[in-house]
Amino acid sequence: MSRRTKIYEGKAKILYEGPEPGTIIQYFKDDATAFNAEKKAILDGKGVLNNRISEYMMLRLGEIGIPTHFIRRLNMREQLCKRVEIVPLEVIVRNIAAGTMSKRLGVEEGEVLPRSIVEFCLKRDDLGDPLVAEEHITAFGWASADEIEEITNLTLRINDYLCGLFAGIGIKLVDFKIEFGRLAVDGGHQIVLADEISPDSCRLWDRETNKKLDKDRFRRDLGGVTEAYTEVATRLGIIKENGNNSNVVSIVKNED
Ligand code: C5P
């Protein structure tokens, strides 16, 4: 791994040059950060779980015709992906009020929204990823009007599919963040889903108890973060139920 060329190191992932032109390797770290990296911790096994969960999401979405950057998982912490130019926007979909929407607009956490709402934030850590309007996006050239339309259409399809997928395993998809990239094709480019979909980037609540099964456990010091991620992976059928909650330990120990 040390011979690889690092392209970029983010808060939870490292990107390396891939083995062939036009590919990259995403390495999932155990690092957890919140509040723009003001709060940090290492959570043993989180990277392994997110790699597996994100692989699962990308494969299922690919099957319903969502173009993604995912090629294949290489090992317990790495996946091979197509190299894309990331659109500098965090696309957030909300089905139930929580987090910054509740804070910003005074909508009580847990209130089901009248319809799913798509928000765009500029990817700028130094500015705290501010919410931006389509006007800003097109005026500053972060994406074209056509790209925004394509991204919004794909995002709503992804939300529909994921709401159903999570409902099937007793989980409410409260909200989530996704990113898109431009993939070079035939002299032009295609918008594809990039980055990851994992409990780091989603709010997931148990349907019956509203227990949080996502990164809010870390943000709000609720404890049991990797246990919650393990529960999501278990309900998805990615890791086997063995009754003693040691799944994550065993998959981490068996890392290839
Ligand atoms: O914090 P906020 O309520 O805006 O987050 C909305 C959703 O987007 C949450 O699921 C959160 O985990 C995700 N998110 C993210 N990365 C960010 C900001 C938000 O994954 N930088």
Side-chain angles (χ1 to χ4, degrees):
M1 199 167 72
S2 52
R3 289 193 306 273
R4 283 187 194 152
T5 309
K6 195 191 278 189
I7 303 170
Y8 171 80
E9 178 153 5
K11 286 173 276 192
K13 292 191 293 295
I14 306 174
L15 303 187
Y16 296 99
E17 299 257 12
E20 293 128 37
T23 62
I24 57 130
I25 292 168
Q26 281 203 124
Y27 175 94
F28 288 75
K29 300 194 284 186
D30 282 343
D31 302 56
T33 64
F35 313 118
N36 210 4
E38 276 170 36
K39 178 171 178 170
K40 291 183 189 165
I42 305 281
L43 301 170
D44 278 347
K46 180 179 78 83
V48 173
L49 287 159
N50 282 354
N51 185 25
R52 299 289 295 270
I53 294 170
S54 194
E55 170 198 24
Y56 183 90
M57 297 299 160
M58 293 286 170
L59 287 174
R60 296 294 84 73
L61 289 167
E63 283 163 9
I64 61 153
I66 303 288
T68 84
H69 73 154
F70 183 84
I71 301 173
R72 67 174 180 278
R73 184 166 63 83
L74 296 172
N75 54 49
M76 293 303 263
R77 285 186 186 272
E78 296 178 331
Q79 43 185 248
L80 183 67
C81 298
K82 296 171 190 163
R83 192 169 189 154
V84 298
E85 178 199 0
I86 289 287
V87 176
L89 298 171
E90 301 206 328
V91 183
I92 293 174
V93 191
R94 299 179 187 273
N95 300 304
I96 297 173
T100 56
M101 165 172 267
S102 294
K103 267 196 213 104
R104 202 181 292 124
L105 303 180
V107 190
E108 198 178 333
E109 185 158 292
E111 194 174 308
V112 177
L113 298 172
R115 60 179 169 82
S116 302
I117 293 175
V118 178
E119 294 175 348
F120 297 103
C121 294
L122 179 63
K123 261 174 78 70
R124 278 282 298 266
D125 281 345
D126 57 331
L127 300 176
D129 301 330
L131 186 66
V132 290
E134 289 190 28
E135 282 285 280
H136 299 112
I137 299 170
T138 50
F140 289 109
W142 299 320
S144 69
D146 285 350
E147 286 177 328
I148 298 174
E149 191 183 340
E150 175 70 359
I151 286 172
T152 306
N153 289 339
L154 288 172
T155 298
L156 291 172
R157 281 177 61 200
I158 293 167
N159 184 47
D160 270 357
Y161 180 78
L162 293 185
C163 279
L165 185 144
F166 280 113
I169 55 166
I171 291 176
K172 293 192 252 188
L173 179 59
V174 173
D175 56 33
F176 62 99
K177 184 265 307 183
I178 45 181
E179 296 184 21
F180 290 90
R182 299 182 183 102
L183 177 68
V185 277
D186 305 329
H189 68 255
Q190 180 192 15
I191 292 288
V192 302
L193 177 65
D195 194 47
E196 69 174 289
I197 300 181
S198 74
D200 266 5
S201 55
C202 302
R203 282 197 175 91
L204 304 169
W205 295 354
D206 179 77
R207 182 178 54 205
E208 303 298 329
T209 63
N210 281 336
K211 181 183 169 188
K212 296 181 198 310
L213 299 170
D214 57 63
K215 195 168 141 183
D216 271 351
R217 300 205 72 81
F218 171 68
R219 294 189 189 99
R220 302 182 189 189
D221 292 322
L222 299 173
V225 186
T226 44
E227 288 79 359
Y229 287 31
T230 303
E231 181 164 347
V232 173
T234 308
R235 289 201 204 182
L236 287 168
I238 296 170
I239 53 179
K240 296 261 176 321
E241 189 127 35
N242 66 5
N244 63 11
N245 214 13
S246 63
N247 294 303
V248 67
V249 178
S250 61
I251 62 173
V252 171
K253 281 195 180 141
N254 291 328
E255 265 183 66
D256 40 303

